[in-house]
C-alpha cells in the first residue's frame, strides 16, 4: 500500500485533519463539472478512441504551444492516459528494458521506483539535500553510465516544492544528450509556481524535445484529482511505444471526462487567474502559520506541499513524528523516508504537509500544531 493511502486511512480513523495525501478538500470548478454532465447527456458514453479524443488531444497541443511554444502533432505525439500515473507507467514500460539503468532524484514520487522495477530496470537514485534541494552536479554526472537509459525528472518537485531552474535544467540536458538517454518529465504541478519561480519544461531546451516524454494531468491544475485525466506528449517514435502499452493497459480514458477536460483546458487562461493567486495565498497562510508554530517549514517554490524539518532535539524519525502529530495534535502528514532508498537517514529528517485545503482547515491545523 502506498504511504498516501496508509496515512489517509489512519487520518480518517483517528478523525485527524488530513494534510497527508495531496488533494484539495474543496471542490473543483462547478463549470467544468457541468461540461462532463453535458457530454454524458449528449451521449458520449461509449469508449473513447484509445489515444484520447481528438478534442482533448487538440486542447493539450494548443496549451503546450501557447504556454511553452512547444509544437506537438495531436495525431501522432499526444496520448491521453488515466492520470499522470498511467502516463508514467506506459512511458516506463515503453522505454525501459530489463537491465537498463534509470536515474531518479530522491525524494522521488513513489510510482517512479515501482515503474522502473516493473519494467526490469535498475534504479540509480541521486539524493537532493535540504534545505534548498538543489542539484549536486558532481553526483549526477557520476550517476550516468553507458547503461543509463532514462532519467525521471519532476519539476515542480513533489515533495520538496523545488522548481528546477534554467541552469540546472541546462546542466541535466547536456548530460542527457552526451549519454544519448531520455527524460521522463513529470510536470503535473506546472501551473503551481510561486514568487519569481517559473516552470520550464525540459523539452523546450535545445535538442531535448526528441528525448523528452512530457507528462501532466488535469488533476492538479483544475483541482479534480478524482477525474484521473492525464497525458503524455512525446515524439512520434516514443508515442508509438507508449500507445502500445496503453492499449493493453487501460486502452482508453473515461469519454465524458475527456470532453469536459478539453473545454476546461481551452479556458485555462481564465482559470489560472483565480487558481494561481488562490494557491499563493494558501502557501503564504500555511507557511507563516507553520513558522509561528515552530515547525521549521521550508518555503516551497512550487507544488502544494511544504516540507518541515523535524527539530533535532526531539530525536524522532519522520514516522514517529508523524504518528505523534496525528495522535496528539490530530494533524496527518506524510513521512518522506518512503521516498528515499539511497540516503534514507535524510528522509527521516522531514515531514510533508499539503496545503491544498480550505483556509479554515489550514487555520484549524495551525492552531492545533501551535
Ligand atoms: N506525479 C506527481 C509528482 C504527483 O504528485 C502525482 C499525484 N498527485 C502524480 C504524478 C499522479 O497524478 P495523477 O493523479 O494525475 O495520476
Ligand atoms: N500525488 C499525491 C500526493 O503526492 C498522492 C496520489 C496517490 O495517493 N497515489 O500526495
Amino acid at each position: 500500500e502506498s504511504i498516501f493511502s496508509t496515512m489517509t486511512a489512519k487520518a480518517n480513523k483517528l478523525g485527524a485533519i488530513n494534510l497527508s495525501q495531496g488533494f484539495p478538500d474543496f471542490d473543483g470548478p462547478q463549470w467544468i463539472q457541468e461540461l462532463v454532465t453535458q457530454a454524458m447527456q449528449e451521449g458520449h458514453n461509449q469508449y473513447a478512441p484509445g489515444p484520447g479524443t481528438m478534442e482533448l488531444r487538440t486542447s493539450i497541443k494548443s496549451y503546450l504551444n501557447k504556454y511553452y511554444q512547444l509544437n506537438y502533432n495531436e495525431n501522432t505525439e499526444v496520448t491521453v492516459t488515466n492520470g499522470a500515473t498511467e502516463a508514467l507507467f506506459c512511458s516506463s514500460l515503453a522505454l525501459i528494458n530489463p537491465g537498463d539503468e534509470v536515474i531518479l532524484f530522491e525524494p522521488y514520487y513513489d510510482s517512479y521506483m515501482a515503474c522502473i522495477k516493473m519494467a526490469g530496470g535498475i534504479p540509480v537514485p541521486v539524493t537532493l539535500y535540504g534545505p534548498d534541494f538543489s542539484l549536486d552536479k558532481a553526483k549526477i554526472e557520476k550517476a550516468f553510465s553507458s547503461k543509463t537509459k532514462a532519467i525521471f525528472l519532476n519539476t515542480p518537485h513533489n515533495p520538496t516544492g523545488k522548481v528546477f531552474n534554467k541552469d540546472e535544467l541546462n546542466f541535466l540536458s547536456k548530460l542527457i544528450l552526451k549519454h544519448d538517454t531520455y527524460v521522463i518529465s513529470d510536470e503535473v504541478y506546472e501551473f503551481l509556481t510561486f514568487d519569481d519561480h517559473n516552470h520550464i519544461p525540459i523539452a523546450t531546451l535545445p535538442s531535448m524535445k526528441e528525448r523528452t516524454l512530457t507528462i501532466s494531468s488535469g488533476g492538479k491544475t483544475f483541482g479534480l484529482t478524482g477525474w484521473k485525466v492525464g497525458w503524455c506528449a512525446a515524439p512520434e517514435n516514443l508515442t508509438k511505444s507508449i500507445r502500445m502499452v496503453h492499449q493493453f493497459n487501460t486502452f482508453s480514458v473515461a469519454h465524458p471526462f475527456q470532453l469536459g477536460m478539453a473545454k476546461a483546458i481551452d479556458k485555462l487562461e481564465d482559470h489560472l487567474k483565480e487558481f494561481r493567486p488562490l494557491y499563493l495565498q494558501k502557501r503564504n497562510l500555511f507557511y507563516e502559520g507553520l513558522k509561528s508554530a515552530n515547525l521549521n517549514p521550508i518555503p516551497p517554490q512550487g507544488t502544494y506541499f511544504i516540507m518541515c524539518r523535524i527539530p533535532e532535539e526531539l530525536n524522532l524519525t519522520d514516522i514517529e513524528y508523524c504518528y505523534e502529530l496525528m495522535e496528539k495534535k490530530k494533524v496527518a502528514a506524510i513521512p518522506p523516508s518512503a521516498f528515499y532508498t539511497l540516503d534514507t537517514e535524510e528522509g527521516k529528517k522531514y515531514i510533508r504537509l499539503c496545503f491544498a485545503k480550505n483556509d479554515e482547515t489550514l487555520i484549524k491545523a495551525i492552531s492545533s500544531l501551535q
Side-chain angles (χ1 to χ4, degrees):
E1 187 178 71
S2 86
I3 191 70
F4 309 115
S5 305
T6 303
M7 296 314 279
T8 286
K10 286 206 189 329
N12 290 341
K13 199 167 155 203
L14 283 174
I17 302 170
N18 188 5
L19 305 186
S20 63
Q21 199 173 24
F23 64 87
D25 71 345
F26 47 91
D27 209 358
Q30 193 65 34
W31 63 270
I32 309 181
Q33 298 181 32
E34 282 161 13
L35 292 168
V36 175
T37 311
Q38 193 189 334
M40 284 181 187
Q41 284 165 349
E42 286 171 1
H44 299 287
N45 298 306
Q46 309 306 333
Y47 291 131
T53 63
M54 196 39 86
E55 288 88 343
L56 181 50
R57 280 187 277 148
T58 306
S59 300
I60 294 164
K61 166 214 171 94
S62 302
Y63 101 82
L64 289 171
N65 183 261
K66 177 171 168 178
Y67 287 90
Y68 311 121
Q69 292 76 53
L70 282 167
N71 287 312
Y72 287 99
N73 181 321
E74 65 276 28
N75 289 306
T76 54
E77 298 184 313
V78 177
T79 309
V80 178
T81 55
N82 225 279
T85 308
E86 200 221 277
L88 290 162
F89 177 78
C90 293
S91 301
S92 304
L93 282 208
L95 209 59
I96 303 164
N97 292 318
D100 285 343
E101 289 181 6
V102 183
I103 298 171
L104 75 173
F105 297 113
E106 65 177 24
Y108 45 75
Y109 184 58
D110 60 352
S111 87
Y112 307 162
M113 184 58 89
C115 283
I116 296 169
K117 289 188 177 170
M118 281 191 278
I122 300 164
V124 180
V126 177
T127 313
L128 301 174
Y129 288 93
D132 58 354
F133 303 102
S134 55
L135 292 193
D136 181 329
K137 293 184 177 170
K139 281 207 177 109
I140 291 154
E141 207 158 0
K142 252 180 91 182
F144 277 85
S145 81
S146 58
K147 289 193 185 148
T148 308
K149 184 61 165 290
I151 171 165
F152 274 87
L153 175 68
N154 173 212
T155 185
H157 184 257
N158 175 7
T160 65
K162 178 183 170 52
V163 177
F164 285 77
N165 62 37
K166 188 103 188 211
D167 172 60
E168 291 169 315
L169 293 173
N170 263 326
F171 180 79
L172 274 181
S173 73
K174 290 208 174 95
L175 286 174
I176 289 161
L177 293 168
K178 180 175 159 197
H179 293 273
D180 190 19
T181 58
Y182 297 92
V183 54
I184 299 175
S185 186
D186 178 347
E187 304 180 15
V188 298
Y189 300 100
E190 60 189 318
F191 295 109
L192 270 171
T193 55
F194 309 115
D195 311 321
D196 54 352
H197 300 283
N198 286 317
H199 172 60
I200 305 168
I202 195 164
T204 59
L205 300 190
S207 306
M208 283 306 293
K209 189 165 164 263
E210 302 94 274
R211 311 187 154 268
T212 307
L213 300 88
T214 303
I215 291 171
S216 194
S217 163
K220 313 291 161 188
T221 302
F222 294 101
L224 297 161
T225 61
W227 284 25
K228 297 295 292 179
V229 180
W231 50 86
C232 181
E236 186 170 347
N237 58 332
L238 297 176
T239 294
K240 262 192 191 155
S241 304
I242 290 163
R243 288 183 182 177
M244 274 192 232
V245 183
H246 170 70
Q247 74 177 329
F248 294 122
N249 181 21
T250 59
F251 161 54
S252 88
V253 173
H255 201 161
F257 289 96
Q258 291 197 50
L259 296 175
M261 189 55 75
K263 289 191 177 152
I265 292 175
D266 293 344
K267 295 212 166 69
L268 183 57
E269 194 172 324
D270 287 340
H271 172 68
L272 291 178
K273 283 181 196 148
E274 291 179 15
F275 176 80
R276 289 171 62 94
L278 177 78
Y279 276 90
L280 176 64
Q281 174 264 330
K282 289 190 187 298
R283 198 269 320 240
N284 293 344
L285 168 78
F286 197 48
Y287 174 73
E288 291 304 327
L290 290 172
K291 219 160 76 170
S292 71
N294 293 320
L295 259 89
N296 302 331
I298 299 170
Q301 303 168 346
T303 76
Y304 47 48
F305 303 110
I306 293 189
M307 292 273 266
C308 294
R309 173 120 187 169
I310 304 167
E312 257 167 57
E313 59 273 20
L314 292 181
N315 210 14
L316 293 173
T317 66
D318 59 333
I319 295 174
E320 290 163 347
Y321 192 52
C322 281
Y323 280 129
E324 191 169 300
L325 289 181
M326 181 120 70
E327 276 153 27
K328 294 200 182 137
K329 309 279 185 179
K330 292 276 179 282
V331 174
I334 291 285
S337 55
F339 311 139
Y340 291 75
T341 42
L342 186 63
D343 188 350
T344 47
E345 288 309 306
E346 177 65 11
K348 291 179 188 164
K349 295 177 184 164
Y350 304 93
I351 58 165
R352 188 197 81 173
L353 292 154
C354 172
F355 61 84
K357 307 293 167 191
N358 277 307
D359 287 359
E360 301 86 80
T361 316
L362 296 175
I363 291 165
K364 209 169 139 199
I366 291 160
S367 78
S368 172
L369 291 167
Q370 260 159 353

